[in-house]
Amino acid sequence: MSTTSLTSRLPVPAHAARLREALLAADFTADGLLELLGAPAYAALARSETVPALRATRGDSPLETLVRLFLLQGSVPAERAAAALPLEECLADGWVERVDDEVRAAVDVRPYSGPEGQDWFIVSDLGCAVGGAGGIGKRDEGVVLGVGGASTTLAGITVRTPVSSALDLGTGSGIQALHAAQHATLVTATDLNPRALDFTRLTLALSGAREAELLQGSLFEPVDGDTYDLIVSNPPFVISPGARLTYRDGGMGGDDLCRTLVQEAGERLNDGGYAQFLANWQHVDGEEWQDRLRSWVPRGCDAWIVQREVQDITQYAELWLRDSGDHREEPTEYATRYGAWLDEFEARKTKAVGFGWITLRKNAAVASGAVEPSIVIEEWPHPVEQPLGDTVRAHFERQDYLRAHDDAALLADHFALAPEVMQEQVGLPGAEDPEHVVLRQNRGMRRATKVDHIGAGFAGVCDGSLSAGRILDAIGQLMGEDPVLLRDRTPQAIRLLVEEGFLLPVGEEERRG
């Protein structure tokens, strides 16, 4: 596999449009790769297994040449490269290098499909795109990674409403900035690593996106006092002993970097704006992890925090030791590094590490004290359906609705069962009545909740035509229940169904329409 020194010159985007035209003409796209390689080889490449892709690219078509050059990162004959690329411009700009009669890539160029099928390209260091020829086990301080599960997760949960300004903090290879450029008038991207800003510039140019404002520095330092409608960050959140690797190690003790990032985001948001992060947090002896995260939420913001995974400290240390290739070192050196991680956790009384999503929304009513903040912190390790941006936005809209409606207003309002909700009846075969009823979402967060026979009956007839109170009166009459008692005890259950998205409030205009 080709390698490149981090001190070598990175490409310049002078002729990026010409290169983009050539890549598209050869069908060097996500769909084109799948068709050329086939599903098994395509999936193997995502696991850093290159042999199937090598076997599938033994021909001399332009697409096969580009796969060998940029994805498998091997040398190709100069005449083959010239048939696939504007070779002289690519050599002059530094996208490729020539050694005798062979050409090799200077950077990783990876097709990436946008949310509406756009053909984009993510540019990163050789061998450092997840699923690249060598994986990401590279230990250079300033290495810049390509597309990975974390970056696509963040892109998927981000609220995608049109905004005036967006900030991608810790941009890396520019994936979040590229997404933001589709719905933000002005995009600012920052990074402590100047090479990351260069890669972001290349990613945007090669993807045909607008240029972004690129600023070097740590956290919010580069943006001075500016505020934004959207802030996104896939920060270097790894809790590690020291800061060896810029792309993953935050350089602060424990989870202080993530805490600082979240706490400082509040004053950087415009009213109604969102800040969305991926983060790690410590599970500390004698402390509830929910309380730890609640203390991070800045004043004037609502928050939704979802813990997706928890690892004990040995699992966590082993994951990141493998990430940096330390498991390939001498056993004594590996043991020393492993011990340093455990020493760090022991000193901080950390028993496990959580990973998840943090979303803040600036709320003027909360900032003024007119309403209490909505802070929802939950554990949800189950499968979800991406993208979730609309789901995130709807969560906060439902919180606004619930704060504005007391029980009487709730019973006077109309609701409809969300279209993706199905009902399951669970019980013994042949039993006359089910033991319980489950409402299940088959989209978004894919939640499930158990309801009693009253809740099931209520949800089943919610089509927006009748108020909640009238439905309860009818259920009480049908089942011989006291309607007054039903009206007293049911609003809390309705609130939970609304909060989790099973029931949707139906406005007057919708009822008339």
Side-chain angles (χ1 to χ4, degrees):
M1 182 191 74
S2 298
T3 59
T4 186
S5 168
L6 298 190
T7 60
S8 63
R9 180 176 70 93
L10 289 178
V12 295
H15 300 93
R18 285 284 314 276
L19 175 56
R20 175 176 171 80
E21 290 174 5
L23 299 179
L24 295 178
D27 207 15
F28 187 65
T29 63
D31 289 341
L33 291 181
L34 181 59
E35 184 175 349
L36 171 69
L37 301 177
Y42 191 77
L45 190 61
R47 300 190 300 270
S48 300
E49 296 290 348
T50 60
V51 173
L54 284 167
R55 291 173 64 87
T57 55
R58 289 177 287 190
D60 58 1
S61 70
L63 178 54
E64 289 166 298
T65 298
L66 293 172
V67 171
R68 289 227 166 200
L69 189 63
F70 288 118
L71 268 63
L72 302 178
Q73 294 162 12
S75 297
V76 300
E79 63 270 18
R80 283 184 59 183
L85 298 166
L87 184 55
E88 293 308 315
E89 289 95 332
C90 288
L91 287 167
D93 289 354
W95 294 95
V96 296
E97 303 165 343
R98 186 164 186 163
V99 180
D100 298 325
D101 293 329
E102 299 279 311
V103 171
R104 64 187 183 189
V107 290
D108 186 298
V109 175
R110 193 148 304 258
Y112 179 70
S113 183
E116 297 178 1
Q118 302 100 320
D119 291 317
W120 293 340
F121 301 95
I122 309 301
V123 189
S124 63
D125 272 314
L126 288 172
C128 292
V130 174
I136 61 172
K138 200 165 179 173
R139 301 173 58 181
D140 298 289
E141 167 65 17
V143 71
V144 176
L145 302 187
V147 182
S151 52
T152 55
T153 293
L154 179 59
I157 67 173
T158 299
V159 176
R160 297 294 175 196
T161 52
V163 295
S164 296
S165 57
L167 170 65
D168 175 14
L169 194 151
T171 186
S173 55
I175 299 162
Q176 309 308 323
L178 178 57
H179 278 276
Q182 311 309 304
H183 63 103
T185 303
L186 173 66
V187 175
T188 300
T190 71
D191 208 288
L192 181 63
N193 181 2
R195 299 182 75 254
L197 301 178
D198 290 334
F199 275 115
T200 294
R201 184 179 291 107
L202 296 172
T203 289
L204 294 173
L206 198 55
S207 298
R210 295 194 311 273
E211 293 184 3
E213 179 185 35
L214 303 177
L215 302 174
Q216 183 185 355
S218 176
L219 298 177
F220 290 104
E221 291 173 3
V223 299
D224 196 19
D226 293 342
T227 58
Y228 300 88
D229 302 312
L230 174 67
I231 299 171
V232 292
S233 183
N234 176 18
F237 53 68
V238 177
I239 300 171
S240 59
R244 260 198 319 155
L245 301 173
T246 302
Y247 74 85
R248 71 169 203 194
D249 300 326
M252 297 184 184
D255 53 18
D256 282 356
L257 181 134
C258 291
R259 175 185 56 79
T260 301
L261 182 59
V262 174
Q263 289 179 336
E264 293 184 356
E267 63 186 24
R268 302 292 182 173
L269 281 174
N270 296 324
D271 185 42
Y274 290 90
Q276 298 186 262
F277 315 101
L278 301 185
N280 274 169
W281 44 80
Q282 296 164 240
H283 285 225
V284 177
D285 276 333
E287 175 186 73
E288 296 294 330
W289 65 270
Q290 296 94 334
D291 292 340
R292 185 179 193 85
L293 290 172
R294 189 171 286 107
S295 73
W296 292 9
V297 178
R299 184 180 178 277
C301 288
D302 298 317
W304 184 21
I305 301 174
V306 182
Q307 180 167 273
R308 294 288 290 156
E309 184 180 4
V310 180
Q311 290 183 313
D312 67 47
I313 57 174
T314 59
Q315 291 174 312
Y316 189 80
E318 290 161 14
L319 169 68
W320 295 109
L321 287 167
R322 287 194 301 270
D323 170 80
S324 56
D326 288 300
H327 62 302
R328 303 190 188 101
E329 300 298 317
E330 290 295 325
T332 53
E333 184 175 345
Y334 175 74
T336 298
R337 290 196 183 278
Y338 198 150
W341 284 72
L342 298 185
D343 289 342
E344 174 79 5
F345 289 132
E346 183 178 340
R348 296 182 179 278
K349 298 182 179 179
T350 301
K351 57 185 179 180
V353 177
F355 166 80
W357 318 328
I358 297 177
T359 299
L360 307 175
R361 184 190 60 167
K362 191 68 170 288
N363 188 331
V366 171
S368 68
V371 299
E372 290 295 312
S374 165
I375 301 176
V376 177
I377 302 173
E378 62 176 319
E379 186 163 18
W380 190 255
H382 311 293
V384 299
E385 183 182 50
Q386 288 273 31
L388 283 167
D390 288 344
T391 299
V392 172
R393 177 178 49 80
H395 166 88
F396 288 96
E397 291 175 350
R398 293 194 300 269
Q399 296 299 320
D400 289 343
Y401 171 86
L402 290 171
R403 277 184 295 204
H405 289 72
D406 60 16
D407 287 356
L410 203 67
L411 292 174
D413 218 340
H414 297 235
F415 300 93
L417 194 66
E420 72 272 13
V421 174
M422 303 294 291
Q423 177 177 299
E424 299 175 2
Q425 296 187 357
V426 181
L428 295 174
E432 184 174 345
D433 296 313
E435 292 181 13
H436 58 263
V437 176
V438 174
L439 300 181
R440 187 179 302 277
Q441 301 168 351
N442 53 26
R443 296 182 60 191
M445 293 294 286
R446 293 181 174 173
R447 297 185 187 276
T449 188
K450 189 188 301 185
V451 294
D452 61 16
H453 62 288
I454 300 243
F458 179 86
V461 297
C462 278
D463 61 3
S465 61
L466 296 175
S467 69
R470 289 187 62 187
I471 292 174
L472 288 178
D473 291 343
I475 289 175
Q477 185 175 9
L478 182 66
M479 296 187 172
E481 298 266 358
D482 185 337
V484 175
L485 293 179
L486 275 183
R487 282 174 171 261
D488 283 344
R489 74 172 192 249
T490 307
Q492 187 57 38
I494 296 174
R495 286 185 181 278
L496 180 61
L497 291 175
V498 172
E499 180 176 350
E500 295 190 341
F502 291 95
L503 291 180
L504 306 177
V506 177
E508 186 174 348
E509 291 185 5
E510 294 175 89
R511 298 199 298 272
R512 288 176 179 173

